[in-house]
Amino acid sequence: MKRRRGIIDRFEGNLAVVEFGEVMEDIPKSQIPDAVQPGDVLWFYEDGRVEIDVEEKQRLSKEIDELMDELWED
Protein backbone atom coordinates (compact mmCIF):
# COMPACT_ATOMS: atom_id res chain seq x y z
CA MET A 1 0.00 0.00 0.00
CA LYS A 2 1.32 3.42 -0.93
CA ARG A 3 2.13 5.87 1.81
CA ARG A 4 3.85 9.22 2.04
CA ARG A 5 5.76 10.84 4.85
CA GLY A 6 4.77 14.22 6.18
CA ILE A 7 6.12 16.40 8.97
CA ILE A 8 3.83 18.71 10.94
CA ASP A 9 5.16 22.25 10.40
CA ARG A 10 2.53 24.18 12.35
CA PHE A 11 -1.17 24.59 13.03
CA GLU A 12 -3.35 27.37 11.64
CA GLY A 13 -6.86 27.31 13.07
CA ASN A 14 -8.45 23.97 12.19
CA LEU A 15 -5.65 23.08 9.76
CA ALA A 16 -2.34 21.33 10.14
CA VAL A 17 0.34 22.59 7.75
CA VAL A 18 2.23 19.46 6.71
CA GLU A 19 5.53 19.35 4.83
CA PHE A 20 5.79 16.65 2.18
CA GLY A 21 9.35 17.10 0.94
CA GLU A 22 9.37 20.49 -0.79
CA VAL A 23 5.57 20.85 -0.76
CA MET A 24 3.41 22.21 2.06
CA GLU A 25 -0.20 21.04 2.33
CA ASP A 26 -3.03 22.14 4.58
CA ILE A 27 -4.78 19.13 6.12
CA PRO A 28 -7.82 19.37 8.40
CA LYS A 29 -6.92 18.56 12.01
CA SER A 30 -9.85 16.13 12.02
CA GLN A 31 -7.89 13.89 9.61
CA ILE A 32 -4.82 13.48 11.83
CA PRO A 33 -4.31 12.00 15.33
CA ASP A 34 -5.22 14.34 18.20
CA ALA A 35 -1.85 14.11 19.95
CA VAL A 36 0.33 15.43 17.10
CA GLN A 37 2.59 18.42 17.60
CA PRO A 38 4.80 20.47 15.30
CA GLY A 39 7.82 18.39 14.29
CA ASP A 40 5.96 15.07 14.46
CA VAL A 41 6.50 12.68 11.55
CA LEU A 42 3.35 11.13 10.12
CA TRP A 43 2.71 8.44 7.53
CA PHE A 44 -0.32 9.08 5.32
CA TYR A 45 -1.74 5.92 3.72
CA GLU A 46 -3.92 5.61 0.61
CA ASP A 47 -6.80 4.22 2.67
CA GLY A 48 -6.90 7.39 4.81
CA ARG A 49 -5.00 6.02 7.81
CA VAL A 50 -2.46 8.29 9.45
CA GLU A 51 0.23 6.98 11.82
CA ILE A 52 2.70 8.85 14.01
CA ASP A 53 6.32 7.69 13.56
CA VAL A 54 7.97 8.41 16.91
CA GLU A 55 11.27 6.73 15.96
CA GLU A 56 11.64 8.81 12.79
CA LYS A 57 10.98 12.02 14.75
CA GLN A 58 13.71 11.04 17.24
CA ARG A 59 16.11 10.21 14.40
CA LEU A 60 15.49 13.55 12.69
CA SER A 61 15.79 15.43 15.97
CA LYS A 62 19.14 13.76 16.68
CA GLU A 63 20.34 14.55 13.16
CA ILE A 64 19.40 18.22 13.59
CA ASP A 65 21.13 18.37 16.99
CA GLU A 66 24.32 16.92 15.47
CA LEU A 67 24.25 19.44 12.63
CA MET A 68 23.78 22.29 15.11
CA ASP A 69 26.70 21.01 17.21
CA GLU A 70 28.93 20.97 14.11
CA LEU A 71 27.82 24.49 13.21
CA TRP A 72 28.64 25.90 16.65
CA GLU A 73 31.92 24.05 17.26
CA ASP A 74 34.89 26.30 17.98
Side-chain angles (χ1 to χ4, degrees):
M1 177 175 298
K2 279 181 75 174
R3 66 180 186 170
R4 59 187 186 144
R5 186 183 84 164
I7 300 173
I8 299 291
D9 184 69
R10 64 186 180 279
F11 296 103
E12 294 182 355
N14 289 327
L15 297 174
V17 180
V18 182
E19 175 190 336
F20 294 97
E22 301 293 318
V23 179
M24 301 296 251
E25 289 185 28
D26 294 338
I27 297 180
K29 283 184 179 179
S30 61
Q31 295 180 10
I32 60 174
D34 290 335
V36 297
Q37 299 176 15
D40 282 353
V41 177
L42 303 176
W43 288 102
F44 293 82
Y45 292 86
E46 283 180 315
D47 65 2
R49 282 184 304 127
V50 179
E51 294 179 350
I52 301 172
D53 189 334
V54 175
E55 290 177 8
E56 181 68 1
K57 178 183 180 181
Q58 291 171 343
R59 188 191 69 75
L60 288 174
S61 181
K62 182 179 181 207
E63 187 176 298
I64 290 168
D65 288 346
E66 289 171 355
L67 289 171
M68 292 299 289
D69 287 346
E70 287 176 24
L71 184 64
W72 297 108
E73 280 182 356
D74 291 333

